[in-house]
Amino acid sequence: MTSLRSIPALRTLAPAELAEWAGRSRPVRFPAGAVLRAAGERPRHVVLLLSGTVAAGHGGTGGVDTLPERWAGPTIVDKAAVLSTEPPATGLTAMTAISTRLLPCADFVRLMGEQPAVRDHVLAHLARDVLTGRRRLAQAATLPAVARVAVWLREQNPDRRVAWAGSQEQLARMLGLSRVTVNRALARLSRSGAVRLTAGGIVVADRTRLDAEIEGKS
């Protein structure tokens, strides 16, 4: 998808309005691994992600990065960082090749002010992200590694055949676990028949068995 209309928050805009905001943005493609914004750098643009995947990341001890959030297009990336008055602790990196349009932050704020439907959509997603962050923090404190991996895979879009197309190293960074721990968890989920490890990524094969792993009933 290459149109701004593919982004859920912008689908209510009339064609003339979409054309106006497209004109205020500029198309940019980034290769996998490209840094869109460094950690601690104030956003100058909001990333309207048309295709591909972007992750927020920050360095840990020993230079090891964690990836606390990711976005798969089409979507608006890192809305909280754009709207905050503080420089974000996380940067943005393209996990795959991506297609974007970059809209200046001031124009994004104006768009939200002029279009109540866009503003309501953005606020609803920000609220959801806060609650998701709280849930993940609780899971990190209470669930064993296998259950954490299973929960994360269950939360991915069920309409997509592949729940995770990145590397196991990247998945470990998303969850704040070691690669070895994630490898062992995936091996167990694979043996139980809950997931399949394919050349294209991790496929959820049986959601009932995945739920059993989460509940500790396997």
Side-chain angles (χ1 to χ4, degrees), residues 3-76:
S3 167
L4 287 185
R5 187 172 292 283
S6 67
I7 296 177
L10 306 182
R11 286 176 184 166
T12 60
L13 297 183
E17 293 168 334
L18 277 174
E20 175 189 354
W21 294 107
R24 292 178 177 274
S25 64
R26 59 187 176 93
V28 183
R29 293 180 182 272
F30 295 92
V35 176
L36 282 66
R37 188 188 72 227
E41 178 183 334
R42 288 184 181 274
R44 292 179 296 172
H45 301 87
V46 63
V47 178
L48 305 176
L49 182 63
L50 302 177
S51 64
T53 303
V54 171
H58 59 80
T61 57
V64 177
D65 290 339
T66 57
L67 305 174
E69 190 56 88
R70 72 177 182 121
W71 298 266
T75 191
I76 301 173

Side-chain angles (χ1 to χ4, degrees), residues 133-149 151 175 177 213-216:
R134 292 177 182 175
R135 185 173 68 252
R136 288 179 178 170
L137 182 61
Q139 290 167 354
T142 61
L143 293 180
V146 173
R148 284 182 62 190
V149 173
V151 167
L175 294 171
L177 298 170
E213 291 285 357
I214 294 169
E215 297 167 6

Side-chain angles (χ1 to χ4, degrees), residues 94-114:
M95 296 185 71
T96 67
I98 61 173
S99 175
T100 74
R101 294 195 74 92
L102 301 182
L103 179 69
C105 290
D107 283 334
F108 180 61
V109 173
R110 177 188 160 195
L111 171 62
M112 290 182 59
E114 294 180 357

